[in-house]
Amino acid sequence: DIQMTQSPSSLSASVGDRVTITCRASQSIITYLNWYQQKPAKAPKLLIYAASSLQSGVPSRFSGSGSGTDFTLTIASLQPEDFAIYYCQQSYSTPWTFGQGTKVEIK
Amino acid sequence: QVQLVQSGAEVEKPGASVKVSCKASGYIFINYYMHWVRQAPGQGLEWMGIINPSGGSTSYAQKFQGRVSMTRDTSTSTVYMELSSLRSEDTAVYYCARRAGAHLDYWGQGTLVTVSS
């Protein structure tokens, strides 16, 4: 199985900050990498697919980059509604696997 | 609009089985694979498997092989996930999620399954 490792596990940031979350795969997944946002007691929501494509309706302050084994999710200017847990997920091969999550908290 | 509506919370005893449903609407049911993902309390997301609603073929995570069964009913646009031989570690929220390309674009609201004696 492909292991997905996110860093950091948690971070504290202020509204307006630029936030970067990284995700590393245990082998090359080309660009089969997706990012999801999850808020308490809610289902995950797709933000970015295929490493860098913005899902329809998602604000443009979210962006993704990377290929191979190293990927990044960036929030250009953190907004109050962005405090949540973010997960990366590979869809290169089954079983699809998720990172352990990164909790973004208010500083 | 696309909607995935799941069945309600369940409480089961260890050793029992549970069957969760996921009713799809707003799109052509047989055109999109459906995945199941679970989340234990306070934990991350765990992929369980996938079903092709068109032909009914399935693929399961090794961890659940022999205990999980995913089926569908095309007449009602509903997929089902049945998990047997339940143990306390199966207590989790179970989600269905539609696959578009190589990502999961729509998710159900989740179904809490509690396994307790």
Side-chain angles (χ1 to χ4, degrees):
Chain A
D1 297 1
I2 297 175
Q3 307 303 315
M4 306 300 293
T5 304
Q6 289 182 232
S7 61
S9 296
S10 65
L11 65 90
S12 295
S14 301
V15 172
D17 284 353
R18 181 181 182 87
V19 168
T20 298
I21 299 168
T22 64
C23 178
R24 174 164 288 178
S26 60
Q27 67 180 74
S28 176
I29 57 171
I30 313 178
T31 56
Y32 287 88
L33 190 283
N34 308 309
W35 290 98
Y36 301 87
Q37 175 194 66
Q38 187 177 33
K39 296 182 179 179
K42 295 292 187 182
K45 171 188 174 183
L46 177 68
L47 298 177
I48 301 286
Y49 62 94
S52 60
S53 295
L54 191 68
Q55 173 68 355
S56 175
V58 174
S60 59
R61 62 180 179 273
F62 291 93
S63 64
S65 64
S67 65
T69 60
D70 295 309
F71 301 87
T72 299
L73 173 70
T74 299
I75 309 172
S77 177
L78 199 66
Q79 298 302 300
E81 60 268 30
D82 300 337
F83 293 96
I85 299 176
Y86 294 83
Y87 293 94
C88 63
Q89 173 249 319
Q90 66 81 19
S91 54
Y92 178 78
S93 65
T94 55
W96 286 16
T97 45
F98 294 84
Q100 80 278 16
T102 295
K103 186 173 186 178
V104 176
E105 299 176 297
I106 302 172
K107 182 184 280 187
Chain B
Q1 72 285 18
V2 174
Q3 280 193 302
L4 301 176
V5 179
Q6 298 184 222
S7 49
E10 305 267 11
V11 179
E12 301 292 347
K13 295 191 184 307
S17 297
V18 69
K19 192 170 187 177
V20 178
S21 67
C22 170
K23 183 174 176 60
S25 62
Y27 70 96
I28 300 173
F29 176 68
I30 60 172
N31 284 0
Y32 293 83
Y33 285 56
M34 198 75 78
H35 292 238
W36 288 89
V37 175
R38 77 177 186 179
Q39 186 171 38
Q43 302 300 308
L45 301 166
E46 182 175 32
W47 185 84
M48 298 182 68
I50 180 174
I51 182 168
N52 176 358
S54 178
S57 61
T58 56
S59 176
Y60 305 135
Q62 179 90 10
K63 175 176 180 176
F64 302 103
Q65 288 278 0
R67 282 211 300 145
V68 70
S69 176
M70 296 176 188
T71 57
R72 93 291 189 216
D73 181 342
T74 56
S75 69
T76 60
S77 299
T78 302
V79 295
Y80 301 90
M81 187 285 300
E82 184 170 20
L83 189 62
S84 61
S85 302
L86 290 168
R87 33 209 187 229
S88 58
E89 310 89 88
D90 294 318
T91 293
V93 175
Y94 289 76
Y95 294 102
C96 59
R98 189 184 82 159
R99 171 178 173 169
H103 52 275
L104 303 174
D105 63 346
Y106 287 92
W107 294 63
Q109 83 276 20
T111 297
L112 175 62
V113 174
T114 302
V115 182
S116 174
S117 54

